[in-house]
């Protein structure tokens, strides 16, 4: 996925360009607003787009409920203390001042300015727009007024349905549809845009991130994991209780929370909408953090007769990183030293320096040495260097998959001929399937792998039985529309390439099974898609593979935590001979995704099987 920090920088740049006009502040006490002035609920209207968009409004009255003095989106929220009777019309609005506003919480103000619809992230993002008053002239009438009481968001007030289907005449946009806050969660949140809202005793479902934000749920029982998160189990169960929390004031005291913790008491502030997660409670009052006591998981060790195969995305690991010891400890102690580990996001020997370096021996040796220092085995490794800057990821980093294997437990069948541009094939040797090169890459010239990682295939032998392992890292979800998009259902454009990639891998597995029907094949890695997705269905084909994470209870099926949704991105898929012919078990080892101090954003997966 694209860098969040770079996307934020772009968003701030857009905001600055869109709001260059200065604001006139008149700290005087003139006559009150005219009786026929436009009210805030008139500006907000009953759809997502203001009926006054692009028009100038005068003497709009309200009480200041929050002031934002940081970033490029400076301004304040104000709310009408005398609401109308229509639940679809918000009584709050953001006044964009471009410089630090002089208004204070509790001020009674009138504002004259132009109504605009600002789209965080730009119109191409697909995000919903935020109704704002821009180029404002602000008059403070009085200070110290009571702020309108917050609207409490809870399981009863947020509908179970997520969003209406978009208007086909508007390419799926919901912008022109009348808001139905009693029917749809996104309509409920939109009907409160800019208003003072509150959550009570909210459980954290995504840990605090480096940008000082976290996610809670206002629906404690909605698709709950046993560890405190909320499982994203289908495209139709988006978890309507998820809500992002940011701080309106200084971030120094922002809670450092893990999944399962609770913001006890009331968390209160204006409801905003931003590029990175949609509807966000910008808190001027935060609940007290109460720990849920979450601990990192440790899987059981494989027995002598079990082969343990793992996949682990180590997040752009290069020699300059400080996480080698932590990754090594995770592999040795939490994963219990699997026999084979497929690593994703191994970078070249100088990381993001873009100077033509493609080798990764320094990176891999440093990791192997750290594993030994942590008390683990001295793994050996196999990989194929990519063509410079052709496999996506961080420019200059040349990420690739690599195999670690414990030579005391499993052997690797080295067969020459594999390189960055040569496709590995399948042949018959003594009546059984064999790779033409080991390690080798799966059809690296195919357009399916353009600017993306090519699968790495290798032959391993455990207790005299050959196991074919295919390490994958499919194209990211970067560029997809978010769940809170104005387009419903959101467009998932990135899955087009993943579908092509899944078809390539499935075809390669078919080639193996055509030669040897009972071959043991494992395709694993960062699939960047869900176990219920079209990508997974294409990978599985007509039974050539099966995603073993589906052997877990639904509340355990996750490897990644994003915007309050615990979801599957990393998978281990197995051929029929393993699924039906071997005893196996599966473990998603939760050591990263639920924690604020993660060393990777992915949880590793372990499959144990008996040949």
């Amino acid at each position: 996925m694209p860098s969040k920090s770079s996307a934020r920088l772009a968003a701030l740049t857009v905001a600055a360009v869109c709001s260059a006009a200065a604001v006139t502040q008149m700290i005087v006490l003139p006559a009150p607003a005219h009786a026929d002035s436009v009210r805030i609920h008139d500006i907000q209207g009953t759809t997502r787009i203001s009926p006054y968009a692009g028009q100038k409004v005068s003497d709009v009255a309200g009480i200041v409920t929050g002031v934002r003095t940081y970033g490029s989106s400076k301004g304040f929220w104000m709310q009408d203390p005398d609401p109308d009777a229509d639940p679809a019309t918000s009584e709050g609005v953001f006044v964009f001042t471009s410089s630090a506003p002089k208004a204070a919480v509790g001020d009674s103000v009138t504002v004259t300015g132009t109504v605009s619809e600002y789209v965080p992230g730009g119109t191409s993002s697909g995000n919903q727009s935020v109704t704002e008053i821009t180029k404002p002239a602000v008059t403070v009438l009085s200070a110290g007024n009571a702020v309108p009481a917050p609207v409490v968001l809870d399981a009863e007030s947020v509908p179970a349905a997520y969003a209406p289907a978009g208007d086909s005449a508007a390419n799926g946009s919901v912008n022109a549809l009348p808001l139905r806050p009693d029917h749809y969660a996104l309509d409920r949140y939109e009907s409160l845009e800019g208003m003072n809202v509150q959550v009570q005793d909210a459980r954290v479902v995504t840990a605090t991130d480096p940008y000082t934000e976290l996610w809670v749920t206002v629906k404690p029982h909605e698709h709950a994991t046993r560890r405190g998160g909320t499982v994203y189990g289908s495209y139709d169960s988006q978890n309507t209780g998820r809500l992002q929390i940011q701080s309106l004031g200084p971030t120094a005291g922002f809670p450092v929370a893990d999944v399962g913790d609770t913001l006890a008491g009331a968390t209160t502030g204006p409801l905003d909408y931003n590029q990175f997660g949609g509807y966000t409670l910008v808190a001027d009052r935060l609940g007290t953090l109460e720990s849920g006591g979450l601990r990192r998981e440790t899987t059981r060790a494989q027995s002598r007769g079990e082969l343990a195969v793992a996949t682990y995305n180590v997040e752009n690991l290069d020699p300059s990183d400080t996480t080698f010891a932590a990754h090594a400890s995770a592999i040795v102690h939490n994963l219990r030293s699997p026999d084979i580990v497929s690593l994703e996001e191994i970078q070249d020997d100088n990381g993001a320096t873009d100077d033509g370096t493609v080798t990764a021996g320094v990176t891999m040796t440093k990791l192997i040495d750290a594993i030994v220092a942590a008390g683990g085995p001295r793994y050996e490794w196999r990989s194929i260097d990519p063509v410079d800057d052709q496999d996506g990821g961080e420019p200059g980093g040349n990420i690739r998959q690599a195999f670690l294997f414990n030579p005391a437990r499993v052997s690797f069948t080295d067969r020459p001929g594999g390189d960055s541009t040569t496709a590995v094939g399948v042949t018959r040797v003594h009546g059984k399937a064999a790779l033409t090169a080991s390690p080798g890459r799966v059809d690296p010239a195919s357009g399916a792998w353009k600017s993306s990682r090519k699968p790495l295939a290798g032959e391993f032998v455990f207790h005299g039985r050959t196991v074919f392992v295919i390490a994958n890292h499919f194209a990211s979800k970067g560029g997809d529309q978010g769940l809170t998009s104005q387009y419903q259902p959101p467009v998932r454009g990135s899955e087009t390439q993943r579908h092509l990639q899944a078809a390539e891998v499935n075809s390669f597995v078919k080639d193996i099974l055509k030669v040897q029907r009972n071959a043991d094949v494992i395709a694993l890695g960062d699939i960047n898609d869900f176990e219920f997705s079209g990508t997974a269905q294409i990978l599985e084909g007509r039974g050539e593979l099966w995603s073993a994470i589906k052997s877990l209870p639904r509340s355990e099926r996750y490897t990644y935590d994003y915007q309050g949704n615990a979801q599957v991105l990393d998978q281990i898929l197995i051929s029929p001979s393993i699924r039906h012919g071997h005893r196996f078990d599966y473990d998603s080892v939760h050591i990263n995704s639920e924690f604020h101090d993660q060393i990777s954003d992915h949880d590793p997966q372990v499959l144990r099987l008996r040949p």
Side-chain angles (χ1 to χ4, degrees), residues 25 33 45 98 101 155 190 275 281 289 326 357 364 400 422 435 521:
Q25 295 278 0
S98 79
E190 176 63 20
Q275 178 183 354
L281 193 164
L289 183 66
T357 299
M364 292 301 299
R400 83 289 308 274
T422 300
L435 301 182
V521 184

Side-chain angles (χ1 to χ4, degrees), residues 218-289:
V218 300
K219 294 185 173 183
H221 305 296
E222 185 178 48
H223 304 135
T225 74
R226 67 179 181 82
R227 291 170 59 84
T230 50
V231 170
Y232 182 51
S234 79
Y235 293 127
D236 298 320
S237 60
Q238 299 93 332
N239 291 318
T240 60
R242 298 174 301 112
L243 191 65
Q244 187 171 225
I245 305 291
Q246 294 178 339
S247 177
L248 185 55
T251 59
F254 192 81
V256 180
D258 295 327
V259 168
D261 293 350
T262 299
L263 294 183
T267 297
T268 305
L271 188 64
D272 195 19
Y273 182 98
N274 66 42
Q275 178 183 354
F276 304 101
Y279 294 103
T280 301
L281 193 164
V282 187
D284 56 12
R285 175 186 175 190
L286 282 157
T288 302
L289 183 66

Side-chain angles (χ1 to χ4, degrees), residues 67-148:
V67 178
R68 182 155 58 198
T69 59
Y70 60 89
S72 63
S73 189
K74 298 180 178 69
F76 62 88
W77 288 269
M78 67 176 186
Q79 185 168 331
D80 194 327
D82 299 313
D84 66 5
D86 190 343
T89 58
S90 171
E91 301 294 340
V93 71
F94 185 68
V95 180
F96 184 78
T97 60
S98 79
S99 58
K102 295 183 175 61
V105 172
D107 283 354
S108 174
V109 299
T110 59
V111 176
T112 295
T114 300
V115 177
S116 71
E117 292 288 342
Y118 169 63
V119 181
T123 54
S124 63
S125 69
N127 287 328
Q128 295 188 45
S129 61
V130 180
T131 302
E132 299 179 344
I133 301 177
T134 62
K135 304 176 184 177
V138 180
T139 300
V140 176
L141 304 177
S142 62
N145 298 279
V147 172

Side-chain angles (χ1 to χ4, degrees), residues 380-401:
E380 294 184 13
W381 68 283
R382 299 290 188 275
S383 188
I384 292 177
D385 296 333
V387 177
D388 188 38
D389 284 337
Q390 294 301 304
D391 282 19
E394 189 175 24
N398 290 309
I399 58 174
R400 83 289 308 274
Q401 299 87 265

Side-chain angles (χ1 to χ4, degrees), residues 23-36:
V23 59
T24 302
Q25 295 278 0
M26 299 175 289
I27 311 302
V28 295
L29 298 176
H34 302 298
D36 58 352

